[in-house]
């Protein structure tokens, strides 16, 4: 063309060479031509330095954010650790207070239990194996003498620990009242009175106000109650009367095993029928006969090579195995 200029737009920054050839009016071309070296300087935001700074800034931002988050997490962790330490100290103090209180309750519970000396005064050949699962126990034993009869009971209350211990206090108090104060010595009659006393103490079977108006509704009954095995022994006649709620008595005579089952109903708790009658079993003993009463605690223990439960059958076999040993050895062997 005849133009003496040319325009290039939007060239990116960099080094360029502009080459040109021309011809005259006769069409003769300049074969060599000429060239111009041009350097286009890009805007600062398109330079490699800017790109490098952006990369560095991005890396620094990420690193700085990570450091910030790490510092924040560490700070929150320290605050949390401090709070945990404070709560732990509070819980430790509360646990110590509660444990001290329960330890004191243990002393009270042990104080109301018959002493081994008191029992052995009447039965020199006897032993008690009493090992609470918790500090205080829902199982307890009772012993007393009234009208020439010696009465012993093994009681298993619902619940463990403090709830069971409350039930044991109720049971001990009622047995003291029924036997020592009221003079009842027949086991079946004792259990009937005990059942009434427990249900009255826990307000079981008590009608609500609506029931009094004819609605027939009862207060929500608790399942709290107890299982008990109770013997009343005449040492002169060698007669033992036995009655039980969901427990049994083991008699071993001349190495012969006998199991006397009790009634299949608890003391207190939810009861299907309103009958308040327990069976009274009578048996005459001879010298050397062994009587065993126990709660379900021993038979429920896990152990052995396979970590299985002992079960009642194996406990019975164990009693047959040890019944001819001296009583101190029996206790040590069972323990």
């Amino acid at each position: 063309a005849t133009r003496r200029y040319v325009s290039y737009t939007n060239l990116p920054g960099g080094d360029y060479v502009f080459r040109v050839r021309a011809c005259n009016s006769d069409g003769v071309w300049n074969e060599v031509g000429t060239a111009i070296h041009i350097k286009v300087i890009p805007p600062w935001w398109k330079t490699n330095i800017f790109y490098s700074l952006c990369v560095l800034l991005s890396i620094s931002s990420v690193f700085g954010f990570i450091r910030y988050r790490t510092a924040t997490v560490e700070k929150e962790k320290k605050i949390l650790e401090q709070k945990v330490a404070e709560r732990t100290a509070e819980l430790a103090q509360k646990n110590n207070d509660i444990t001290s209180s329960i330890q004191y309750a243990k002393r009270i519970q042990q104080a109301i239990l018959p002493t081994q000396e008191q029992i052995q005064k009447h039965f020199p050949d006897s032993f008690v194996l009493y090992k609470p699962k918790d500090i205080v126990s829902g199982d307890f034993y009772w012993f007393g003498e009234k009208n020439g009869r010696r009465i012993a009971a093994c009681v298993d209350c619902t619940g463990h620990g403090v709830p069971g211990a409350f039930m044991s206090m109720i049971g001990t108090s009622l047995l003291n009242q029924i036997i020592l104060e009221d003079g009842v010595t027949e086991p079946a009659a004792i259990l009937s009175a005990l059942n009434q006393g427990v249900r009255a103490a826990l307000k079981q079977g008590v009608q609500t106000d609506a029931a009094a108006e004819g609605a027939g509704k009862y207060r929500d009954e608790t399942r709290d109650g107890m299982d008990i095995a109770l013997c009343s022994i005449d040492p002169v006649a060698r007669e033992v009367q036995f009655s039980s709620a969901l427990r049994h008595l083991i008699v071993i005579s001349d190495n012969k095993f006998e199991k006397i089952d009790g009634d299949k109903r608890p003391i207190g708790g939810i009861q299907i029928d309103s009958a308040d009658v327990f069976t009274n079993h009578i048996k005459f003993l001879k010298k050397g006969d062994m009587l065993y009463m126990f709660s379900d605690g021993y038979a429920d223990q896990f152990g052995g090579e396979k970590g299985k439960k002992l079960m009642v059958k194996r406990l019975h076999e164990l009693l047959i195995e040890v019944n001819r040993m001296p009583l101190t050895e029996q206790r040590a062997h069972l323990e």
Side-chain angles (χ1 to χ4, degrees):
T2 58
R3 288 183 294 114
R4 293 180 176 271
Y5 65 90
V6 65
S7 176
Y8 295 95
T9 60
N10 295 326
L11 285 177
D15 294 329
Y16 296 89
V17 178
F18 178 77
R19 300 182 186 277
V20 62
R21 289 191 306 159
C23 69
N24 58 20
S25 58
D26 296 326
V28 178
W29 284 88
N30 182 337
E31 296 297 337
V32 178
T34 188
I36 299 174
H37 290 270
I38 302 172
K39 183 174 184 179
V40 177
I41 299 175
W44 64 271
W45 62 84
K46 289 187 177 181
T47 61
N48 290 334
I49 295 176
F50 177 77
Y51 294 147
S52 300
L53 289 175
C54 288
V55 172
L56 288 174
L57 182 61
S58 299
I59 294 174
S60 300
S61 299
V62 172
F63 182 73
F65 178 75
I66 293 173
R67 287 291 300 274
Y68 169 76
R69 287 296 301 162
T70 302
T72 303
V73 170
E74 287 292 335
K75 183 178 179 181
E76 292 176 352
K77 180 182 176 182
K78 289 181 179 179
I79 295 173
L80 183 60
E81 287 176 348
Q82 183 179 359
K83 289 182 178 179
V84 169
E86 292 173 356
R87 298 295 183 270
T88 302
E90 290 176 7
L91 289 174
Q93 182 61 43
K94 290 181 180 179
N95 183 64
N96 184 60
D97 294 341
I98 293 171
T99 303
S100 300
S101 178
I102 297 175
Q103 288 285 2
Y104 192 82
K106 176 184 178 182
R107 292 198 292 271
I108 296 174
Q109 187 179 44
Q110 288 182 332
I112 67 172
L113 291 174
T115 63
Q116 189 71 34
E117 292 76 15
Q118 179 185 354
I119 298 174
Q120 289 188 336
K121 176 181 176 182
H122 299 282
F123 292 108
D125 287 335
S126 65
F127 71 90
V128 176
L129 181 60
Y130 181 68
K131 298 176 72 66
K133 174 181 177 292
D134 300 305
I135 300 174
V136 290
S137 176
D139 293 359
F140 72 97
Y141 56 95
W142 189 94
F143 181 82
E145 185 180 26
K146 190 70 175 180
N147 300 333
R149 301 193 70 91
R150 299 166 185 175
I151 301 167
C154 176
V155 190
D156 180 1
C157 300
T158 54
H160 296 285
V162 175
F166 273 108
M167 288 297 299
S168 74
M169 299 291 285
I170 294 173
T172 300
S173 176
L174 288 172
L175 287 173
N176 288 336
Q177 177 184 335
I178 295 166
I179 300 171
L180 301 182
E181 296 179 18
D182 298 341
V184 182
T185 58
E186 184 189 60
I190 293 172
L191 296 196
S192 295
L194 181 63
N195 183 50
Q196 294 172 6
V198 169
R199 289 179 65 79
L202 300 179
K203 297 181 175 59
Q204 295 170 336
V206 177
Q207 289 183 318
T208 61
D209 294 338
E213 297 173 1
K217 293 184 179 180
Y218 283 81
R219 179 190 302 271
D220 291 337
E221 292 194 25
T222 64
R223 296 181 178 271
D224 299 311
M226 55 189 71
D227 304 340
I228 179 172
L230 187 142
C231 286
S232 177
I233 301 172
D234 183 345
V236 178
R238 288 184 178 175
E239 176 210 55
V240 57
Q241 295 184 17
F242 172 74
S243 189
S244 166
L246 293 174
R247 301 308 307 159
H248 57 267
L249 173 69
I250 300 300
V251 181
I252 301 181
S253 178
D254 295 329
N255 216 39
K256 293 180 181 178
F257 179 89
E258 181 183 359
K259 175 186 174 187
I260 303 176
D261 288 314
D263 294 282
K264 297 185 181 300
R265 52 174 302 177
I267 299 294
I270 297 178
Q271 300 183 359
I272 298 175
D273 56 62
S274 58
D276 198 21
V277 179
F278 289 86
T279 306
N280 205 52
H281 303 271
I282 299 177
K283 187 174 181 62
F284 289 91
L285 306 174
K286 61 179 181 295
K287 187 176 177 61
D289 289 354
M290 285 295 304
L291 306 179
Y292 295 97
M293 294 186 295
F294 43 84
S295 68
D296 58 2
Y298 196 99
D300 284 347
Q301 293 302 303
F302 288 87
E305 295 179 356
K306 298 182 179 179
K308 291 186 176 181
K309 190 182 289 189
L310 180 70
M311 305 300 288
V312 176
K313 181 180 178 182
R314 294 176 64 186
L315 174 57
H316 291 168
E317 294 171 353
L318 184 59
L319 294 178
I320 295 173
E321 177 186 335
V322 303
N323 80 94
R324 290 188 174 181
M325 296 179 180
L327 271 294
T328 53
E329 293 184 19
Q330 285 195 41
R331 188 188 188 285
H333 189 83
L334 290 170
E335 186 170 8

